[in-house]
Amino acid sequence: MFESAELGHRVDKQTWNEEEPALRSALLAAQYALLAQKKTAVVVVIAGVDGAGKGETVNLLNEWMDPRHVRTHAFAAPSDEEEDRPPMWRFWRALPPRGRIGILFGSWYTDPIVHRVEGETSKAGLDQSVEAIRHFERMLTQENVLLVKLWFHLSKKAQKKRLKELEKDPDTRWRVTREDWQRFETYERFRKVSEYVLRETSTGEAPWTVVEGADHRYRSLAAGKLLLSALQERLATKAPPAAEPAAPLPKEPIDGRHVLRSLKYDQQVEKKRYEKELEKWQGELNLLARHPRFRRRSCVLVFEGQDAAGKGGAIRRITAALDARHYGIIPVAAPTEEERAQPYLWRFWRHLPRQGHVAIFDRSWYGRVLVERVEGFCDEAAWMRAYAEINDFEEQLDRHGVVVSKFWLAITPDEQLRRFKEREKTDYKKFKITDEDWRNREKWPQYERAVCDMVDRTSTEMAPWTLVEANDKYSARLKILKTLCRQWEEALSHRR
């Protein structure tokens, strides 16, 4: 795979002087056209062999373009804050919004390759990482992100020569470390692992381009022209890339039964018993949150449900048992301009909690397969592929030790109508009822079907849905607290 990048490609000084100004001008024009359209985000992944000119190329691209509209991120070893979250968290945060260019010096490829080269992961572990990368990059391209992946290569002989040249010059000696020479000793293994990873992740929507890095003029023109070509091609494309067809949803059951209609809505708990059990389960939850092993865990709570189903009241009973310094409530409404400029899951990744903390989502990423589906805020291809994207997201949380607890609060149409009318009559509850609530009620059957599809597609072993009969608020709150205690207790029983 690297043969063509070991041929000794060179560009003479005259050619460089002739082509560099035109390339620089064209890149700047394409950058401003991208910024004006605001339809596509561009992610440039820079990777490759030590000494192949990755850093110089990143600096040059920033020099050629307007750096105010370029986000450059150099990823070193994860910080304490990053270690507390799933590995992809720091890369999600680095994604540029539509209209901007992000240059990632080091990326989601670094750790899988290095860990395999150093023997810290097995071939199966590497394959798992490769598959996760393919899923991630496919999702990005379906969100209209342009991925430009550049691998800068040197032969072993050329790398040794390059390192010695840098070490010999007093002005560049600092750039060569003992680690560089240690990695040089594993060159053959690094090449083998890298070749495999590039081959497996060079897809139609996100191909790799290998650039020989021995000659600085050649690699600079090659990288610049590759980026320019990708930008111009995308700018000339009127429609976003076609989405892959998703697997069809199951048909409505022929007997009309589904998970919501099978719930027992007539459950009731007397107030006296409720108050006694509430104190018991809140105390249990508090003890679990203060358990020493909880410091090595984090928890994500998802609350969804019909309007007026009691999500807010249930959340307040949970937070009453927790230390306010260790939880955060994220109320999810319509996306902001900043959030619309990013891939859909970006606004949820950014709120993931550190270890020892709890994030409570009042509405969540399930909005794509619920309100956005029913109200037509996204096309069918977007919400259909969201099931797989959500499952992948939650699997990443689970692998990192995040406890994901998901609750759907269900009420009957008659109970919802009663609560709506009560809100209209009560001064301090009037703010809770809006015209949108009444409009959503008219689409009850469509929402009901969407909920059933959601449960069927996203209730997994790692992140199951808990359906809560919420006609009686006392019964619903106790069920949620009991379920939460059981899930946390089970998670804490496993050492990490």
Side-chain angles (χ1 to χ4, degrees), residues 333-399:
T336 63
E337 286 293 330
E338 180 189 23
E339 291 166 341
R340 279 197 289 268
Q342 294 281 1
Y344 176 69
L345 287 172
W346 177 84
R347 63 176 176 147
F348 306 109
W349 270 95
R350 67 196 300 215
H351 290 299
L352 293 183
R354 300 191 67 164
Q355 289 183 355
H357 291 71
V358 180
I360 303 172
F361 287 87
D362 184 354
R363 303 291 190 187
S364 69
W365 41 95
Y366 284 96
R368 173 134 293 185
V369 297
L370 294 172
V371 65
E372 291 191 24
R373 165 185 171 174
V374 175
E375 302 297 338
F377 295 151
C378 67
D379 59 32
E380 182 176 343
W383 64 257
M384 282 288 282
R385 72 170 185 264
Y387 295 117
E389 292 173 1
I390 287 169
N391 285 337
D392 181 62
F393 171 45
E394 293 175 353
E395 183 180 1
Q396 291 184 61
L397 300 186
D398 178 71
R399 283 204 304 267

Side-chain angles (χ1 to χ4, degrees), residues 231 360 388 433 494:
L231 286 172
I360 303 172
I433 187 75
H494 301 294

Side-chain angles (χ1 to χ4, degrees), residues 78 87 103 129 153 164-166 203 220 277 314 323 330 337 350 402 412 423 426 428 460 477:
I103 300 178
S129 296
H153 182 72
K164 284 191 171 182
E165 287 175 349
L166 291 171
T203 60
S220 300
E277 290 202 30
D323 186 332
I330 300 94
E337 286 293 330
R350 67 196 300 215
V402 181
T412 60
R423 287 181 173 183
T426 308
Y428 63 88
T460 61
R477 293 166 185 170

